Amino acid sequence: MTKPTKTVAQLSARARALLFALVVTAGILNLVDRQIISVLKPTIATDLGWSDDDYGTLAAWFQGGAAFAFLFTGWIVDKLGVKWANPIGVAAWSIAAMAHGWARSMTEFVMIRVSLGATEAMGTPTGIKTIASVLPKNWRSSGFGATNAANSIGAILAPLAIPGVALLVGWRGTFVAAGALGLVWAAVWLVATRRVTFSPPRPVETDTAPLAEYGPILRNRQTWAIAVAKILSDATWWLLLFWLPDFFHRQYGLTGVALGVPLAIAYGGAAVGSLLGGGVSTRLLSLGYSVNAVRKGILLVAALCVLPIPLVLYAGNYAVTIGLMALTLAAHQAFSTNLFALIADVVPQDKLGQVTAFGSFSGNVGGMVIAKVAGLVLTAGLGYLPLFLFASVSYLLAVGWIQLLLPRLRPIEAR
């Protein structure tokens, strides 16, 4: 006798925890697949005769592919639903990762990196939509925080694991092995959800944004509140990801292995910020504080924590500098966690993937712009001060923009 299907609301806590664990694991696989080429760059460059310019070209194509794809992946996720978007997305980027193992020419690598960036763009809208479906309302902030924290921890651990695998199977085999893990993940997801339906809860209209009037996402202020906030906040995030090693080299003369300690501590701060940003908001919501007060309050506190970042140029103390950078990355992840949770608060389920993807596209655009601007500023001999001054106020500008467009947050759905 065939067992009846269950809705997500009817699942046991254990079953929900399994699905959430799979979402977190998918995020780690996403990060590992994109990091293999950077961790193994010296080996691959020697083997294939790449210059630094060639590697930079591949990096640019990857991010461009991801940014462009974000314009479409949200719509795809909303149409497929999380039951099918998850395995299709993970399988697609896993196949793209495996393809690296057979690439020979620069043209082939460019095509594959664009494919990997485009398919990995399924990860963010699918993950946000899945967490919003699987976890109860008051636990979603913790869910987003745990996902961000796992990605941060993955950024620390991946450089340790990838070289070991490469020693056993070579750099080409490493790509294939990582992709194969993704295909296994897709199979596990299909088994775990074979009798589960992910129908969204019935929406309830509110004073600020009735579902029937939400319409195309670009006509709504919720979308633009999130998009501009992502541009401003992600610009600082990408600035630090691209240029933090160079800053430590210029400021303290660190190179090679010596960079590992400050970078590890900084990413550790990011992980802590993710967990705190999610955990504190979950606790406050469970105590009865409004979504408006919790989300905006935590966003404001995180923004204030970034204000001191220009002081790293004058600290004159290695430990203080690392501490301030860790605080900045922690603040970003707390900010990001609650910004993603805010999307789930104010956007209806059938638009959630689209708005998340458009926000991620906007964040990638901010990252591309700041990367170019930073290069121009440093080439002009102006140093990091103008960049860190922008970073110090970018989050406050994002909070102000959200307050301007959404003076009061009210959940659009009854969860």
Side-chain angles (χ1 to χ4, degrees):
M1 181 176 178
T2 303
K3 293 183 179 180
T5 60
K6 293 183 178 180
T7 65
V8 174
Q10 295 172 323
L11 292 177
S12 66
R14 183 177 179 180
R16 288 185 183 225
L18 172 62
L19 296 182
F20 175 70
L22 286 172
V23 173
V24 172
T25 307
I28 294 174
L29 289 174
N30 187 300
L31 182 140
V32 169
D33 286 347
R34 80 178 64 164
Q35 269 205 309
I36 292 174
I37 197 169
S38 61
V39 174
L40 300 181
K41 173 184 175 287
T43 302
I44 301 173
T46 300
D47 192 12
L48 300 180
W50 288 352
S51 65
D52 287 337
D53 183 57
D54 292 331
Y55 176 73
T57 297
L58 290 174
W61 277 109
F62 172 83
Q63 192 161 3
F68 183 74
F70 273 126
L71 295 175
F72 305 96
T73 54
W75 178 86
I76 293 171
V77 171
D78 284 335
K79 291 298 180 183
L80 290 176
V82 298
K83 184 168 186 174
W84 294 106
N86 273 289
I88 290 173
V90 175
W93 81 57
S94 297
I95 292 171
M98 295 175 75
H100 288 71
W102 289 275
R104 300 285 176 179
S105 68
M106 177 57 63
T107 299
E108 290 173 344
F109 266 96
V110 166
M111 294 173 62
I112 290 170
R113 292 307 287 179
V114 170
S115 299
L116 182 64
T119 50
E120 285 200 345
M122 286 283 287
T124 301
T126 304
I128 297 300
K129 193 176 180 77
T130 305
I131 290 173
S133 299
V134 170
L135 297 184
K137 175 184 175 182
N138 286 350
W139 281 95
R140 288 175 193 159
S141 299
S142 292
F144 297 137
T147 302
N148 277 344
N151 290 340
S152 298
I153 293 171
I156 299 170
L157 299 180
L160 302 177
I162 291 171
V165 176
L167 285 175
L168 295 175
V169 298
W171 68 263
R172 294 185 182 277
T174 303
F175 281 109
V176 175
L181 283 176
L183 296 180
V184 171
W185 186 99
V188 172
W189 173 271
L190 290 173
V191 172
T193 61
R194 65 190 184 282
R195 294 191 181 94
V196 180
T197 59
F198 288 83
S199 301
R202 184 174 182 176
V204 176
E205 294 188 357
T206 68
D207 294 337
T208 55
L211 179 59
E213 296 178 5
Y214 195 89
I217 64 169
L218 297 184
R219 291 214 303 254
N220 289 274
R221 59 176 55 202
Q222 293 97 325
T223 300
W224 291 107
I226 293 157
V228 174
K230 287 288 288 180
I231 289 174
L232 290 167
S233 59
D234 281 14
T236 294
W237 173 252
W238 287 111
L239 170 68
L240 296 180
L241 289 187
F242 285 141
W243 295 100
L244 196 54
D246 178 75
F247 166 76
F248 279 117
H249 172 67
R250 292 177 186 235
Q251 197 78 354
Y252 295 102
L254 303 181
T255 58
V257 177
L259 284 168
V261 172
L263 294 178
I265 294 174
Y267 282 119
V272 171
S274 297
L275 295 174
L276 282 177
V280 170
S281 59
T282 294
R283 178 61 177 164
L284 292 175
L285 289 171
S286 68
L287 291 174
Y289 289 94
S290 70
V291 168
N292 185 73
V294 172
R295 296 285 178 245
K296 291 180 180 176
I298 293 179
L299 291 177
L300 179 59
V301 170
L304 293 173
C305 287
V306 183
L307 273 177
I309 189 174
L311 297 179
V312 298
L313 296 169
Y314 309 102
N317 183 290
Y318 180 59
V320 172
T321 299
I322 296 175
L324 287 172
M325 285 300 185
L327 176 64
T328 298
L329 290 177
H332 170 85
Q333 289 293 61
F335 190 98
S336 177
T337 294
N338 280 274
L339 187 57
F340 277 127
L342 187 152
I343 299 175
D345 291 332
V346 301
V347 176
Q349 271 280 347
D350 66 337
K351 305 290 185 181
L352 189 57
Q354 297 174 60
V355 176
T356 300
F358 187 72
S360 297
F361 161 77
S362 302
N364 271 265
V365 170
M368 295 170 69
V369 171
I370 198 66
K372 181 62 176 177
V373 169
L376 294 173
V377 168
L378 294 172
T379 300
L382 300 177
Y384 277 96
L385 181 58
L387 300 171
F388 288 164
L389 286 174
F390 162 76
S392 69
V393 299
S394 60
Y395 294 84
L396 284 175
L397 292 173
V399 172
W401 176 257
I402 291 172
Q403 179 62 26
L404 179 65
L405 266 66
L406 303 175
R408 185 161 185 81
L409 302 177
R410 291 176 183 157
I412 197 168
E413 294 176 354
R415 307 295 185 179

